[in-house]
Amino acid sequence: MIFLSTKRILKFSWQHFWRNIWLSIVTMTIIVLTLFSLTTLVLVNAIADYAVNSVKDTIDVSLYFDNSIKEETVQALEKELEKIEEIKEITRVSPADALAEFKEVHKDDADIQAALAELDKNPLGGTLILTAFNMDQYPLIMEKIKELKADQLAEKIDYNDHQKLIERINGFSNKLRNFVLALSIIFIFIAVLTVLNTIRMGIYIHRTEIAIMRLVGASNWFIRLPFIVEGLLYAIFGCLIFWGAWALALYFSGDWINSFLTGINFDIRAYFNSNILNILGFEFIIIAVINMISAVLAMSKHLKV
Amino acid sequence: MIELRNVSKTYNNGTEAVKNITLHIKPGEFVSLVGRSGTGKTTLVKMLVAEERPTEGRIILGGWDITRIKTADIPMLRRQIGVVFQDYKLLPRKTVFENVAFALEVASYSKKHIQEAVPQILALVGLEPKANEFPDELSGGQQQRVSIARALAHRPKILIADEPTGNLDSVNTREIIDLLLKINNFKTTVMLVTHNRDVVNSLRKRVVALEDGKIAYDQERGRYIL
């Protein structure tokens, strides 16, 4: 009996959907626009996070030593620095490595290569590069470096905390996020109104059928459920259409979009591939809830059973 | 079968449609409910199918007190009362068979049951040959017979016919009344709501007349004399 009722409810829902196909198309178009807005919101969040993280990854403290400082002294300092618990990693670049790297970087510069050949010994000293677990720990690490008097030993300490850059990225991404969020809310509101209106029209179109259903003893849920399922059908088809279009857009223009994001190493295809279930689930739940709420609102006002 | 105890109905706008009506209709009885327009006949029908609730009094159908019936129980009540109206209320895009089957489909009857039951009901109302025709291919009398067939789909104990001959000529009117009498012969309680004087007078059955929301008279083998 439940199977039969379910089958007939689905049949009636499909009839509502199909017999008013133009209204259904308009409704699904609004859902697609809402999904576009929501996906953009997800994307803006992701890109902002990537941008901030990529800046964070470049933060470090570099201690440059004069070539007069013996390597053993640098190694001893490295051991002291290893005791600082805020430091995640220490990379030591020996004078030889530094020279090799310098030569590699300037391999096409004949003057520099000639000048280096003239020198008897390596003009470069060693370098210690420190990275913290957390960007907030750098000021503390700087204090501890001073306590160890490493600042006196090093010829130069290079520390750029990029705090202003991060603040600027956060500021910009927050503004963009708020704009897209506002846009999403507007689209959600329009989607609610559209679905509500479509279902209201459906109730009006099927008023004779509904009256007869009531007359012959159809249960309240048997009358109401087709309209809720109809709302779900709009959600399912709207999502499928949008996701199909989005997948095509990514397939054909993913490289082009990525070309704008090379600085932060963001690959839009890889991002969607690894987060696809979360994004689709989040979007479907939002759209399905919107549609069901709209259906219930339309019925509560226009469908007396 | 149908029992109304001191039933009154006052609408929100203050209109008193039914005033303190007490009525008892026995199982298998044929009763004509008569009266001019606006005397409370339709309100009474609406209360019997729980479309309206009485302001005062009690309504009992087959021992079931439906005065304060729960919304969830209304469909069950409506499957026990067949109702036909003046305007037939048929679905124009469904055939005769489908219109009758619709009543069973929405009540979750199996396809097998529907395939067996609908031809039997159509045979009862004399419309078996018209099973695959659409309502607009039928005469008014035939359409009303489809409506009666649909009302009988759940094999109700009570059939309420609210002005079933209002849109019909005298020949079709006679056919519909004969069909109602035939249904009544199968022990179904029939309540005919009408203001057709000739029909009521020819029936020689019980007549309950309403006037100004009250029972003006209640006669066995009565006549329409208002």
Side-chain angles (χ1 to χ4, degrees):
Chain A
M1 188 164 165
I2 290 172
F3 173 74
L4 263 177
S5 300
T6 310
K7 197 175 146 195
R8 284 173 189 157
I9 284 167
L10 288 176
K11 187 180 115 184
F12 289 138
S13 310
W14 179 252
Q15 283 174 351
H16 293 179
F17 178 86
W18 188 246
R19 286 180 184 170
N20 303 301
I21 190 65
W22 288 107
L23 261 178
S24 303
I25 288 171
V26 170
T27 309
M28 287 185 296
T29 306
I30 297 296
I31 287 169
V32 166
L33 289 174
T34 309
L35 282 168
F36 180 74
S37 175
L38 284 173
T39 309
T40 309
L41 184 64
V42 170
L43 204 55
V44 165
N45 273 326
I47 292 173
D49 284 349
Y50 262 73
V52 169
N53 285 334
S54 68
V55 173
K56 282 179 184 170
D57 287 345
T58 64
I59 301 174
D60 56 32
V61 175
S62 297
L63 283 76
Y64 297 99
F65 299 94
D66 189 85
N67 62 353
S68 62
I69 306 290
K70 287 183 182 166
E71 202 159 350
E72 293 77 29
T73 314
V74 176
Q75 281 174 6
L77 177 64
E78 183 185 356
K79 282 191 179 153
E80 287 300 313
L81 289 170
E82 276 172 358
K83 293 175 188 166
I84 300 174
E85 57 189 23
E86 287 82 6
I87 292 177
K88 180 183 165 191
E89 191 182 5
I90 301 175
T91 308
R92 182 164 57 81
V93 182
S94 68
D97 291 341
L99 181 63
E101 195 185 331
F102 187 80
K103 280 181 177 173
E104 177 63 25
V105 170
H106 300 97
K107 64 183 175 191
D108 298 328
D109 192 329
D111 291 341
I112 290 178
Q113 294 296 335
L116 285 172
E118 290 290 314
L119 295 169
D120 298 336
K121 60 173 189 176
N122 185 356
L124 301 175
T127 309
L128 288 176
I129 303 164
L130 318 178
T131 50
F133 286 98
N134 187 316
M135 62 177 271
D136 300 331
Q137 293 169 326
Y138 283 104
L140 192 64
I141 290 171
M142 288 301 288
E143 274 179 32
K144 292 191 175 175
I145 285 172
K146 281 179 187 163
E147 282 170 20
L148 290 170
K149 298 197 166 58
D151 56 327
Q152 291 171 15
L153 194 64
E155 183 189 19
K156 180 187 163 195
I157 295 180
D158 190 3
Y159 167 53
N160 186 354
D161 65 2
H162 298 79
Q163 194 63 42
K164 284 190 178 157
L165 181 58
I166 288 171
E167 278 169 12
R168 278 172 61 195
I169 292 172
N170 278 336
F172 176 71
S173 62
N174 280 342
K175 277 181 193 161
L176 195 59
R177 195 180 287 138
N178 288 341
F179 173 72
V180 181
L181 184 66
L183 205 63
S184 299
I185 290 169
I186 290 170
F187 273 122
I188 286 173
F189 182 67
I190 294 172
V192 168
L193 285 182
T194 310
V195 176
L196 194 143
N197 216 35
T198 303
I199 290 176
R200 193 179 66 87
M201 288 285 285
I203 292 168
Y204 179 76
I205 290 165
H206 293 96
R207 62 193 185 286
T208 313
E209 210 169 320
I210 291 166
I212 294 167
M213 281 180 163
R214 291 170 56 207
L215 183 69
V216 297
S219 70
N220 294 339
W221 279 110
F222 196 92
I223 298 172
R224 284 171 177 267
L225 267 178
F227 292 100
I228 293 178
V229 176
E230 184 188 351
L232 264 179
L233 285 178
Y234 295 132
I236 291 167
F237 284 107
C239 285
L240 288 177
I241 291 167
F242 172 73
W243 293 336
W246 188 258
L248 278 178
L250 276 189
Y251 179 79
F252 287 111
S253 57
D255 290 333
W256 181 74
I257 296 169
N258 284 341
S259 69
F260 291 99
L261 305 165
T262 45
I264 57 166
N265 202 23
F266 185 84
D267 182 341
I268 192 166
R269 282 195 199 112
Y271 176 77
F272 275 98
N273 283 342
S274 56
N275 294 285
I276 190 148
L277 284 179
N278 288 340
I279 294 172
L280 299 196
F282 158 76
E283 290 183 343
F284 179 72
I285 287 169
I286 288 199
I287 294 298
V289 167
I290 286 172
N291 287 17
M292 286 199 289
I293 288 174
S294 308
V296 170
L297 281 175
M299 287 188 303
S300 66
K301 193 154 186 220
H302 302 284
L303 183 60
K304 278 174 76 183
V305 289
Chain B
M1 178 54 49
I2 301 173
E3 199 178 343
L4 285 86
R5 295 182 194 163
N6 307 106
V7 171
S8 298
K9 174 69 186 177
T10 306
Y11 286 103
N12 289 339
N13 63 6
T15 307
E16 285 183 275
V18 171
K19 297 170 190 166
N20 198 31
I21 284 183
T22 295
L23 180 68
H24 183 245
I25 298 170
K26 293 190 283 293
E29 210 173 354
F30 191 115
V31 178
S32 299
L33 188 65
V34 303
R36 282 188 285 270
S37 297
T39 51
K41 302 189 299 292
T42 300
T43 300
L44 208 60
V45 171
K46 283 182 175 177
M47 286 194 286
L48 289 175
V49 294
E51 208 170 307
E52 294 289 349
R53 287 171 195 271
T55 318
E56 281 174 50
R58 288 174 68 190
I59 300 175
I60 298 157
L61 293 178
W64 183 8
D65 189 339
I66 63 154
T67 315
R68 295 282 171 258
I69 189 171
K70 288 179 194 161
T71 310
D73 293 333
I74 293 174
M76 203 47 74
L77 169 74
R78 289 180 184 162
R79 288 176 204 176
Q80 294 178 31
I81 306 173
V83 188
V84 293
F85 295 96
Q86 183 175 349
D87 59 357
Y88 324 131
K89 294 192 192 298
L90 299 177
L91 293 167
R93 288 159 81 174
K94 287 187 188 286
T95 63
V96 167
F97 185 97
E98 289 166 345
N99 264 286
V100 179
F102 187 69
L104 297 169
E105 276 181 11
V106 301
S108 300
Y109 280 94
S110 70
K111 204 171 176 178
K112 187 169 172 277
H113 175 85
I114 293 170
Q115 293 293 339
E116 286 170 6
V118 175
Q120 287 173 13
I121 302 164
L122 288 179
L124 177 72
V125 300
L127 279 180
E128 223 178 354
K130 304 279 183 184
N132 295 318
E133 293 188 19
F134 288 90
D136 60 4
E137 295 169 334
L138 305 176
S139 69
Q142 288 170 330
Q143 288 188 50
Q144 190 58 286
R145 279 195 272 160
V146 180
S147 171
I148 292 171
R150 186 183 58 203
L152 295 175
H154 295 300
R155 300 187 185 284
K157 293 187 177 73
I158 302 167
L159 179 67
I160 299 174
D162 190 359
E163 302 284 4
T165 59
N167 286 343
L168 304 178
D169 58 27
S170 57
V171 176
N172 280 309
T173 296
R174 195 64 250 169
E175 281 181 10
I176 293 301
I177 296 302
D178 287 345
L179 179 58
L180 293 178
L181 288 168
K182 185 177 165 186
I183 292 162
N184 180 238
N185 283 338
F186 292 122
K187 304 293 177 201
T188 304
T189 307
V190 176
M191 180 187 266
L192 171 65
V193 181
T194 185
H195 56 247
N196 188 322
R197 192 177 298 271
D198 294 338
V199 165
V200 177
N201 290 343
S202 68
L203 280 169
R204 312 293 294 159
K205 297 273 187 186
R206 183 178 170 191
V207 176
V208 176
L210 292 186
E211 193 172 27
D212 194 24
K214 294 178 190 162
I215 293 180
Y217 62 88
D218 182 351
Q219 294 176 338
E220 293 292 334
R221 295 187 169 274
R223 291 175 64 82
Y224 191 173
I225 52 174
L226 281 173

